[in-house]
Amino acid sequence: MRYIIRRKNVFLNGLMLFAIVLASPSVFAHSDSITYQKRWAAGIPVHLVTVNLNDVDVRMSPVLPRYGVGHSELWSTMIGRARPTAAITGTYFDTRSLYPTGDIMVDGDFACRGVVGTAIGFGWNNEVLFVPTKRGRISDWSAFQHILVGGPVLVWNGKLSVNPRAQGFRDSSLFAKRQRTAIGVNKRGKLLLAAVTRPVYLRKIARAMRELGAINAAALDGGSSTALYYRGRSIVKPSRRLTNLLAAYDDPVRHSEVRYLLAPATNRYIEQPESTER
């Protein structure tokens, strides 16, 4: 009889624990907020991280190197310091000066003023906007929490829109086949972070982003800078040091723990020289 009672108690305790797990809003809450898939789109394999910006616990942020703008850092140490759920290569940078070529703002504070690109702007409530800029013109980003200016535009209002020269880009490597990264947003408010390791033209990755559902999309840095990280694994590793990346979090507690490390206090505002070629 005692054996039967104990088995019954174990069973009831198990049911109670299961009920508590189901009732808890935090358990499993983030299991699908940030996901990874390998997809085929426009005839090419795409490593795709999808970030649900509708989840109030999701956080986005650019990440700068340990010693600030004008320096570079190993991808592995940037990831180790930032501890993101997912991350992707950020914007382009001048390989001599190591200054990013586009504006970067973290938590409302400017880190770098660039000269060219398309802004990916994150508001204080996780809203995201893609804003084309004009070369050399100073933009007002006061409405945003974070800014990362990449580009050129790949998809605009659901249509292919690939014209780097019209957007002020001059670097010949943009017009060649190379590994690519891109960022987009779909009509459901989900952010698409894509990396393609097969060398392709911009128009090919633009078609891929549209097939993946992006209504607006822009390129990020590529070539030897191509990188993508997801939940403890570098899906794609860069072959050189980077000057910035974009990180995603599904745990606000972890984000708050590392927040002060994402744009180290040694950074100072730097305006990029107009001579930068991109």
Side-chain angles (χ1 to χ4, degrees):
M1 179 64 70
R2 291 179 182 174
Y3 176 76
I4 295 174
I5 291 173
R6 286 174 183 169
R7 288 289 300 273
K8 184 177 180 181
N9 287 340
V10 169
F11 178 72
L12 289 175
N13 289 339
L15 283 178
M16 291 175 65
L17 178 60
F18 183 67
I20 291 171
V21 167
L22 288 180
S24 173
S26 61
V27 177
F28 305 132
H30 308 299
S31 61
D32 60 355
S33 296
I34 302 178
T35 60
Y36 163 76
Q37 295 175 291
K38 188 173 183 181
R39 299 274 302 273
W40 281 81
I44 57 174
V46 181
H47 296 284
L48 179 68
V49 168
T50 303
V51 182
N52 186 3
L53 296 176
N54 301 300
D55 185 336
V56 296
D57 285 339
V58 164
R59 304 286 189 273
M60 301 296 303
S61 179
V63 180
L64 299 175
R66 184 181 301 274
Y67 297 110
V69 172
H71 296 84
S72 63
E73 188 175 352
L74 292 172
W75 165 259
S76 59
T77 60
M78 292 182 80
I79 292 294
R81 174 163 46 84
R83 295 166 51 205
T85 304
I88 193 169
T89 303
T91 192
Y92 312 96
F93 59 93
D94 186 285
T95 56
R96 292 166 295 182
S97 68
L98 300 180
Y99 291 171
T101 60
D103 294 6
I104 299 178
M105 186 171 73
V106 183
D107 274 332
D109 293 326
F110 252 108
C112 179
R113 176 75 74 181
V115 297
V116 65
T118 298
I120 300 95
F122 296 94
W124 294 89
N125 294 310
N126 258 6
E127 60 273 26
V128 61
L129 288 176
F130 286 68
V131 185
T133 67
K134 291 187 179 294
R135 189 177 183 96
R137 178 179 295 180
I138 295 177
S139 300
D140 178 12
W141 305 125
S142 59
F144 296 95
Q145 181 180 11
H146 306 296
I147 287 289
L148 182 68
V149 175
V153 168
L154 301 174
V155 180
W156 194 254
N157 291 331
K159 298 180 179 179
L160 294 182
S161 179
V162 184
N163 194 346
R165 288 190 178 89
Q167 296 173 48
F169 288 92
R170 302 170 183 169
D171 192 327
S172 60
S173 67
L174 283 173
F175 305 93
K177 281 187 174 183
R178 63 199 304 245
Q179 296 183 83
R180 304 282 181 183
T181 62
I183 182 171
V185 64
N186 67 21
K187 63 183 179 181
R188 294 181 298 279
K190 294 185 176 182
L191 200 67
L192 309 175
L193 308 178
V196 176
T197 57
R198 179 184 297 181
V200 295
Y201 292 114
L202 277 174
R203 184 163 289 275
K204 173 67 77 170
I205 194 171
R207 286 201 295 268
M209 293 300 287
R210 186 177 64 173
E211 284 190 19
L212 292 168
I215 55 173
N216 290 318
L220 296 173
D221 198 2
S224 56
S225 295
T226 303
L228 187 70
Y229 170 89
Y230 179 73
R231 298 190 189 276
R233 179 188 170 200
S234 287
I235 307 296
V236 181
K237 296 180 180 180
S239 57
R240 68 180 179 189
R241 296 164 67 97
L242 301 182
T243 68
N244 67 100
L245 56 85
L246 180 65
Y249 298 83
D250 61 4
D251 183 347
V253 174
R254 190 196 322 163
H255 174 260
S256 67
E257 291 173 348
V258 300
R259 192 171 182 174
Y260 74 101
L261 297 172
L262 305 182
T266 53
N267 283 324
R268 60 187 177 85
Y269 171 82
I270 296 178
E271 186 165 349
Q272 175 69 331
E274 173 63 28
S275 60
T276 298
E277 290 291 324
R278 271 295 175 188

